[in-house]
Amino acid sequence: MLLATCYLLLATNMCGIIGYTGKKDAVSIILDGLRRLEYRGYDSAGVAFFGEKGIEVRRCRGRIRDLDALIEANKPFSPTGIGHTRWATHGKPSEDNAHPHRSDGIVLVHNGIIENYLDLKRRLQEEGFKFTSETDTEVLCHLINKHINPETPLEDAVRKALKDVRGAYAIAVMNEKEPGKIVGIRKDSPLVIGVGEGEFFIASDVPAFLNYSRNVIFLDEGEMVVITEGGMKITTLDGVLVHKNSESVSWSPAMAEKGGYKHFMLKEIFEQPRSIADTLRGRFYPESGEVNMEEFGIGTDDLKDIEKIFIVACGTSWHASLVGKYIIEELARVPVDVDIASEFRYRNPILGKSLFIAITQSGETADTLAAMREAKKRGAKTLTICNVVGSTAAREADAVFYTHSGPEIGVASTKAFTAQIIGLYLFAAGIAHMKGRINSNSATELLRDLLFLPEMIEKVLAKDSEILKIAKELFKAEDFLYLGRGINYPIALEGALKLKEISYIHAEGYPAGEMKHGPIALIDEAVPSVFLLPKDRLYEKVLSNIEEVRSRGGKIIAVTNDVDEDVCNRFDYCISVPDANPFLSTILMIVPLQLLAYHVGVLRGCDVDQPRNLAKSVTVE
């Protein structure tokens, strides 16, 4: 989330928090929850629980299975506890730096970054507090301990402590003197509450407790929750009572499981026909050529008055945004600027009478949220396209379009990417029709094309074994080039990113027309070149680029909807995809590149669901 002046470091972590209080075995529930949060990335883990002699802490460097083994040797029963998976930011991965941290009877887990922790640490050391870790989190423990006493309940001590703190945090904290109580608070880092019968959960993400409850309350900025077996109370940091109703999430626990697939990433690639169908459901009327623009939450008059659109995102969502730019400008003839969120927020943009679209799978991406807040300050109407119901982006934007893709557990985004393109396609077709840029017949044709898309993706997925064979011949390469033109240039970027993320191979996406301006120097027999070759108006130009690579001995992998066998025979490897309109063709082109990246990563022995140094959502700057 927003960290306006985070000078200490740039981080890409999104650690996991899970807490429980009720009548069941908290330690087992917490360990299960931590396993369901593994996709967020971590290098150490720990739990804290109320035992016979107060709060016990067990933690270790390594995986959840290592923590499980540590606890299994002397497994306790406790009705209340908290747990954490940590990705190192301040301090190396180690048992001392693992969460939970404690200061006497105060035990705490924390996601985020404390900006002024060095000043706070110096002050606390002068007051006699001893530090045993290198983390910024430990200052929170000592600050709360400083304010706790028999007359001050834990929640009041937390409030007093946080007045001195600058930064982002989601916190779950317990006090040895108050058994059964957990206090949670969030500022610029997500925290959700699960509501059961006589039991409550606190977590950084819904999948952590989906096996036990689908009733969820999303905490807003600066809100605190106190949960006990007997009830729950939500207040602001100032102590003002907040009334919130729980909402039911539609995800089932099975949707967050692998479902027989070897990895979440593979499962999510194969879920794309279903996820796209879910994104489309109830959003358009192919007979009349109309898009249900109410799904985008923006009034007709506002849409008609739009003179310019800004789309802002990070990573894979940025690539979807680039595809969206081509579609919107081509169909609606509205100019579109696409920015990387971390650049937009610092470049003093001129917004004018514009619509600002933030695209984010999680709805919690720090730079995207900061950019959206900046756009709102400047008077722009804001829309977010995201997947997670109740996320910060969904709550803070003026309007929201949910992709309804279901949980995406694999760190490398796949089904979220294609669902985002579908959302932008619907938006472009709807606004183009509304503005009279396309007639009803054209609109009807564009929307009817969507009906056939899931089946077309199934045909691409049926080529999985063929793509595996290609991967087996190329997985030892250390460099790849991905090349495309026009609307397929962003697909080249996304294909290269997938390979980088999953296999750690250096891969570069480039506009094919720019190949002579640098990348051609890299071409030799050891550098495979992946070309996106749709049968469109740039087809001959891309063929010309392919010949330039061939003449230099480079291996060529072509993804094409050209059914001419003679053309395919000119390439070392040819992956054919069904023919579709130029906008939807991008989805058919990316699916084989997702599979190629997956298989190469597996063949190289990489952890494709949890690549090194990466996390699912980047919630700090």
Side-chain angles (χ1 to χ4, degrees):
M1 297 250 155
L2 177 59
L3 281 174
T5 55
C6 179
Y7 301 115
L8 295 174
L9 77 162
L10 303 179
T12 57
N13 75 307
M14 193 177 182
C15 311
I17 287 175
I18 172 72
Y20 172 83
T21 187
K23 293 185 172 67
K24 296 174 185 169
D25 176 12
V27 177
S28 296
I29 290 171
I30 289 164
L31 287 170
D32 181 58
L34 292 179
R35 279 188 285 271
R36 295 175 192 281
L37 294 174
E38 283 188 300
Y39 66 91
R40 298 162 75 91
Y42 70 104
D43 50 47
S44 58
V47 297
F49 51 88
F50 282 92
E52 293 180 3
K53 299 179 180 178
I55 295 178
E56 296 183 38
V57 174
R58 311 270 175 88
R59 57 188 186 170
C60 66
R61 179 181 176 177
R63 316 306 285 175
I64 303 300
R65 61 177 175 268
D66 301 316
L67 179 63
D68 217 346
L70 183 68
I71 292 171
E72 195 62 39
N74 183 21
K75 190 164 185 183
F77 176 88
S78 172
T80 305
I82 54 178
H84 190 267
T85 52
R86 174 183 186 256
W87 195 298
T89 53
H90 296 80
K92 63 180 182 288
S94 68
E95 182 179 340
D96 285 341
N97 290 331
H99 296 216
H101 288 285
R102 76 182 305 155
S103 178
D104 294 333
I106 301 299
V107 179
L108 176 146
V109 293
H110 161 233
N111 290 351
I113 290 178
I114 306 305
E115 295 175 30
N116 61 332
Y117 90 102
L118 288 174
D119 290 338
L120 293 172
K121 183 174 182 177
R122 197 174 299 114
R123 191 191 316 166
L124 288 164
Q125 286 174 324
E126 289 171 356
E127 294 175 19
F129 287 93
K130 304 295 184 186
F131 283 77
T132 60
S133 79
E134 303 166 287
T135 69
D136 56 334
T137 299
E138 195 176 357
V139 301
L140 295 173
C141 280
H142 293 315
L143 277 174
I144 295 168
N145 187 20
K146 175 181 172 180
H147 292 287
I148 203 79
N149 59 60
E151 288 76 40
T152 304
L154 178 59
E155 55 268 37
D156 288 347
V158 171
R159 286 192 183 97
K160 290 175 182 177
L162 291 179
K163 287 179 180 178
D164 293 328
V165 173
R166 294 198 316 271
Y169 46 79
I171 299 167
V173 57
M174 303 188 300
N175 177 18
E176 207 161 53
K177 304 296 185 186
E178 300 176 74
K181 178 190 283 189
I182 303 173
V183 174
I185 188 163
R186 68 155 290 182
K187 178 182 178 292
D188 296 327
S189 198
L191 203 61
V192 297
I193 310 304
V195 181
E197 292 187 15
E199 60 184 4
F200 295 91
F201 307 82
I202 188 167
S204 44
D205 207 351
V206 174
F209 54 75
L210 261 183
N211 261 3
Y212 309 96
S213 176
R214 292 196 207 173
N215 297 318
V216 177
I217 295 174
F218 295 91
L219 290 184
D220 285 314
E221 284 297 283
E223 289 184 344
M224 171 187 283
V225 63
V226 179
I227 58 173
T228 63
E229 182 188 325
M232 172 190 68
K233 183 170 76 171
I234 299 174
T235 64
T236 66
L237 257 180
D238 298 325
V240 178
L241 196 63
V242 177
H243 295 283
K244 287 193 163 189
N245 295 320
S246 64
E247 50 188 288
S248 180
V249 296
S250 58
W251 301 350
S252 67
M255 291 174 74
E257 298 294 339
K258 291 179 185 175
Y261 289 93
K262 187 175 180 182
H263 297 96
F264 282 114
M265 182 182 178
L266 187 62
K267 171 179 179 272
E268 288 154 10
I269 291 171
F270 273 82
E271 281 179 339
Q272 287 175 110
R274 192 270 309 158
S275 70
I276 284 174
D278 287 347
T279 301
L280 292 171
R281 191 169 290 116
R283 261 82 184 258
F284 72 108
Y285 312 104
E287 298 83 3
S288 63
E290 293 181 356
V291 175
N292 181 2
M293 295 306 285
E294 289 182 5
E295 286 290 312
F296 290 92
I298 301 174
T300 302
D301 291 339
D302 288 330
L303 287 171
K304 283 182 177 177
D305 289 343
I306 290 170
E307 296 174 354
K308 189 171 184 178
I309 295 172
F310 289 83
I311 310 180
V312 171
C314 299
T316 287
S317 296
W318 180 65
H319 297 156
S321 304
L322 292 171
V323 174
K325 171 185 171 70
Y326 282 94
I327 302 173
I328 294 168
E329 290 189 341
E330 180 72 23
L331 295 180
R333 307 307 296 160
V334 176
V336 179
D337 273 6
V338 176
D339 276 79
I340 295 172
S342 56
E343 296 297 318
F344 177 90
R345 60 186 289 198
Y346 293 117
R347 75 170 178 85
N348 197 21
I350 302 168
L351 296 182
K353 200 170 188 179
S354 61
L355 173 67
F356 178 96
I357 303 177
I359 302 185
T360 160
Q361 189 281 140
S362 67
E364 304 292 350
T365 306
D367 288 314
T368 304
L369 288 168
M372 186 170 73
R373 290 164 182 160
E374 183 64 27
K376 288 188 81 168
K377 274 190 215 172
R378 293 168 183 259
K381 190 83 172 175
T382 57
L383 163 70
T384 188
I385 296 175
C386 76
N387 187 37
V388 179
V389 175
S391 60
T392 303
R395 296 196 304 274
E396 292 191 7
D398 297 313
V400 58
F401 178 92
Y402 287 117
T403 54
H404 297 312
S405 299
E408 189 177 66
I409 306 300
V411 168
S413 182
T414 52
K415 66 177 180 174
F417 174 71
T418 51
Q420 288 165 352
I421 292 176
I422 291 298
L424 288 162
Y425 182 95
L426 287 172
F427 178 80
I431 195 172
H433 196 193
M434 185 182 296
K435 284 178 169 285
R437 303 294 189 189
I438 58 174
N439 59 32
S440 293
N441 288 337
S442 296
T444 297
E445 189 175 339
L446 284 166
L447 297 181
R448 283 183 177 171
D449 287 347
L450 288 168
L451 298 175
F452 304 102
L453 186 61
E455 183 182 351
M456 288 180 174
I457 297 172
E458 293 281 8
K459 290 178 179 177
V460 179
L461 293 170
K463 295 180 178 289
D464 182 46
S465 59
E466 175 186 328
I467 294 166
L468 173 58
K469 288 179 184 176
I470 297 172
K472 285 179 177 178
E473 295 195 28
L474 299 177
F475 76 95
K476 292 182 180 178
E478 293 303 322
D479 298 278
F480 271 72
L481 278 177
Y482 285 72
L483 299 143
R485 297 196 72 151
I487 196 170
N488 283 292
Y489 164 50
I491 301 304
L493 290 173
E494 176 61 12
L497 177 62
K498 283 288 132 329
L499 192 71
K500 274 185 278 197
E501 289 178 312
I502 298 308
S503 69
Y504 317 141
I505 292 173
H506 169 251
E508 192 169 350
Y510 229 81
E514 283 287 290
M515 192 175 64
K516 288 182 180 178
H517 295 269
I520 199 166
L522 301 175
I523 299 296
D524 62 25
E525 63 280 359
V527 180
S529 296
V530 180
F531 278 92
L532 299 165
L533 183 64
K535 196 77 184 287
D536 60 13
R537 60 191 179 88
L538 294 170
Y539 174 79
E540 297 292 341
K541 294 187 180 298
V542 178
L543 274 180
S544 176
N545 296 137
I546 289 174
E547 287 304 315
E548 291 170 338
V549 172
R550 262 211 329 169
S551 67
R552 288 162 177 81
K555 286 190 174 68
I556 297 162
I557 307 100
V559 182
T560 182
N561 54 15
D562 189 342
V563 296
D564 188 334
E565 285 189 17
D566 290 336
V567 172
C568 252
N569 288 336
R570 295 160 69 179
F571 316 132
D572 296 283
Y573 310 97
C574 185
I575 304 169
S576 60
V577 299
D579 193 23
N581 75 47
F583 311 123
L584 297 182
S585 179
T586 57
I587 291 174
L588 300 175
M589 293 277 176
I590 192 58
V591 172
L593 301 189
Q594 294 170 344
L595 287 168
L596 180 64
Y598 168 79
H599 287 304
V600 169
V602 171
L603 288 165
R604 289 171 71 94
C606 301
D607 187 343
V608 296
D609 281 340
Q610 298 170 52
R612 68 188 183 203
N613 303 331
L614 295 177
K616 185 62 184 170
S617 301
V618 182
T619 58
V620 293
E621 183 183 13

